[in-house]
Amino acid sequence: MKEKGSMMNRTVKSAVAMAAVAAMSLGALAACGSSTSGDDAKGKVYYLNFKPEAADQWTALAKEYTKEKGVEVKVQTAASGTYEQTLKSEIAKTEAPTLFQVNGPVGYQNWKKYTADMSNTDVYKELANQDVALKDGDKVVGVPYVMETYGLIYNKTILEGYCGMDGAVVSSVDEINNFDTLKKVADDINSRIDDINKELGTDLTEAFASAGLDDGSSWRFAGHLANMPLYYEFKDDGCDLTAGEESIKGTYLDNFKNVWDMYVSDSAADPKTLNSGALNAESEFGMGEAVFYQNGDWEFSPLTNEENGYVVTADDLSMMPIYFGVDDENEGLCVGTENYWAVNAKASQEDIDATLEFLNWVITSDEGRDAITNQMGLTAPYDTFTGDYETKNAFAQAANKLMTDGKTSVAWSFNATPNVDDWRADVVSALTAYTAGEG
């Protein structure tokens, strides 16, 4: 597999800054806290968690499992944007993770010698659709613990109120079904903030929540928004939508630029401060200051958690596609995963067995299912999540409705990007320079 990282960075910066795409090579895309000690005889579990937003819940689950089963479970969470680096460091240690995550077929290539075959495990057999497992030939090398959805979160109460105002660009939210209309609506909202607040009694400051380019936010754009041009080009070329191809032409980078420019121009944030770390898009949206917020269904839980003090409620929340100006008529939400559990094949058999038993407990116990569905707000792809543990997530429900209506969910094509942390850092650097007028 070939590396073309520096070429990719130069071309991304050129494409975003000049909106003129000649070619863009992504390089090496794939082909078309410890608990109390338990009994060593039972084995032990060390989970290196990918999701910082779920760190507290995983730590609590580890403590509960140790309390119930007497098996030591350690959970460590990597800082945002550092998972691969942290895993490389931890896997080299004597006490290496027994459970870790890979982000898809490209990420798997870095860790294939460490992944145990999960074909005969309970956690694989409980998948509602075994096709979503990560496989290498007949070997099951990873199982997703969550299927996720992202798009444009919107405050439907405010947006519906706007649609009823004199002079609104649209009279119904349903009319926002393509990029051109979305941009006209966002532009109009952003230019009429005072009028909207006066008529609706709202506290808006912007149409779009800030597009932060700091480590805690930049993945929304370097990963999730950047997914869109990859998806449509892979689709054109007829290759695997999540494995991708060796290089791309950059056909849809103009569309990427158009969406990014809308995010920046229809926000109250100073474009030169997007990488400052001082912005909090979740808070802006949660406090009713923004109508639109690009993010995923994992935001449902924090936005509706009363302890966070947000003014939005579950009834205010919905999600629409990131209309990209390509196939808007048929586009659904972005549905997929970059969270595959993998078990360390180099761990002792006792630790492997303990790890698999822990995973089975997570997806079958009341404690585990409640944590994933109700505390983390995630949608698990297992047959065991029924009744009280079926998703209550409005964003996941929106994805299901769009699929029922015949829309095509957008695959997570960014799983094909090489050396994901470095690749995203290059995209962030290009976006930062462009947005600050330096690119």
Side-chain angles (χ1 to χ4, degrees):
M1 297 176 69
K2 299 190 285 290
E3 292 284 351
K4 303 178 184 176
S6 60
M7 174 64 177
M8 177 280 301
N9 187 30
R10 290 196 300 271
T11 317
V12 168
K13 182 177 290 188
S14 175
V16 174
M18 302 175 62
V21 180
M24 168 177 164
S25 173
L26 298 182
L29 294 183
C32 207
S34 300
S35 308
T36 55
S37 297
D39 185 347
D40 286 345
K42 297 179 180 180
K44 55 186 178 297
V45 182
Y46 172 11
Y47 177 33
L48 185 60
N49 171 42
F50 174 80
K51 283 181 165 292
E53 66 272 23
D56 291 345
Q57 290 90 341
W58 278 111
T59 299
L61 278 178
K63 290 180 179 178
E64 178 62 28
Y65 188 76
T66 297
K67 179 181 176 182
E68 286 190 21
K69 306 293 185 180
V71 174
E72 179 183 351
V73 179
K74 173 184 176 181
V75 174
Q76 178 173 327
T77 299
S80 181
T82 68
Y83 192 81
E84 287 286 302
Q85 174 186 343
T86 304
L87 181 54
K88 287 176 182 177
S89 173
E90 292 299 305
I91 209 79
K93 296 179 179 179
T94 302
E95 298 290 331
T98 63
L99 178 64
F100 59 95
Q101 288 171 234
V102 293
N103 72 337
V106 173
Y108 161 67
Q109 296 302 319
N110 294 329
W111 304 105
K112 59 189 306 179
K113 68 181 181 180
Y114 290 96
T115 55
D117 187 356
M118 301 178 72
S119 303
N120 294 318
T121 64
D122 291 334
V123 70
Y124 170 66
K125 293 174 183 177
E126 292 286 2
L127 280 170
N129 176 9
Q130 294 182 345
D131 289 341
V132 301
L134 186 61
K135 298 179 181 179
D136 186 349
D138 294 331
K139 181 181 176 183
V140 176
V141 295
V143 294
Y145 84 78
V146 59
M147 294 301 291
E148 295 179 306
T149 296
Y150 71 88
L152 294 181
I153 298 172
Y154 67 94
N155 187 317
K156 63 182 179 181
T157 304
I158 296 177
L159 192 54
E160 288 169 356
Y162 160 79
C163 290
M165 291 178 59
D166 291 340
V169 173
V170 294
S171 59
S172 168
V173 176
D174 292 339
E175 295 176 48
I176 307 173
N177 54 18
N178 58 77
F179 172 76
D180 288 340
T181 303
L182 171 64
K183 185 177 188 316
K184 289 175 182 176
V185 168
D187 288 350
D188 193 48
I189 289 174
N190 212 57
S191 69
R192 299 174 63 187
I193 293 294
D194 291 341
D195 290 343
I196 295 170
N197 286 339
K198 183 177 180 180
E199 183 156 339
L200 302 182
T202 52
D203 294 308
L204 284 180
T205 62
E206 57 197 351
F208 275 92
S210 57
L213 290 175
D214 56 285
D215 289 345
S217 172
S218 60
W219 49 268
R220 296 191 287 137
F221 314 109
H224 292 181
L225 182 57
N227 181 76
M228 303 299 292
L230 298 178
Y231 167 76
Y232 280 114
E233 187 161 321
F234 294 167
K235 193 173 183 181
D236 285 350
D237 293 346
C239 68
D240 186 294
L241 294 175
T242 57
E245 51 195 336
E246 184 176 300
S247 63
I248 72 167
K249 300 176 288 294
T251 307
Y252 297 106
L253 286 177
D254 275 355
N255 303 76
F256 176 92
K257 176 186 177 298
N258 291 340
V259 175
W260 175 255
D261 285 347
M262 175 180 65
Y263 287 175
V264 175
S265 64
D266 286 327
S267 170
D270 181 347
K272 294 185 177 181
T273 67
L274 295 184
N275 66 343
S276 66
L279 302 169
N280 188 331
E282 178 187 288
S283 177
E284 294 163 25
F285 184 84
M287 297 308 294
E289 297 170 6
V291 180
F292 300 102
Y293 171 36
Q294 187 205 296
N295 216 323
D297 58 4
W298 48 88
E299 280 294 295
F300 185 76
S301 180
L303 286 171
T304 57
N305 185 340
E306 293 181 356
E307 293 182 3
N308 287 334
Y310 294 146
V311 300
V312 297
T313 68
D315 291 338
D316 295 322
L317 301 177
S318 193
M319 185 183 286
M320 67 176 67
I322 302 172
Y323 291 116
F324 206 61
V326 180
D327 187 25
D328 293 344
E329 179 181 356
N330 298 306
E331 186 181 305
L333 296 174
C334 302
V335 179
T337 189
E338 59 175 341
N339 293 282
Y340 293 91
W341 279 324
V343 174
N344 188 350
K346 296 184 180 295
S348 69
Q349 190 60 50
E350 292 81 5
D351 289 353
I352 290 174
D353 291 343
T355 299
L356 291 171
E357 288 171 8
F358 172 66
L359 285 182
N360 190 53
W361 177 84
V362 168
I363 67 165
T364 58
S365 69
D366 289 337
E367 294 85 352
R369 292 181 294 170
D370 178 68
I372 288 177
T373 298
N374 299 321
Q375 297 176 36
M376 300 181 202
L378 302 175
T379 302
Y382 296 96
D383 284 334
T384 52
F385 284 75
T386 57
D388 290 341
Y389 306 116
E390 290 184 79
T391 185
K392 302 174 182 64
N393 191 308
F395 305 139
Q397 292 168 353
N400 291 336
K401 183 180 185 305
L402 285 167
M403 285 187 276
T404 300
D405 291 344
K407 306 300 182 183
T408 301
S409 297
V410 174
W412 285 27
S413 298
F414 64 77
N415 281 336
T417 55
N419 303 316
V420 61
D421 295 335
D422 293 339
W423 191 89
R424 291 185 182 184
D426 284 342
V427 176
V428 170
S429 178
L431 278 175
T432 300
Y434 163 68
T435 307
E438 300 167 0

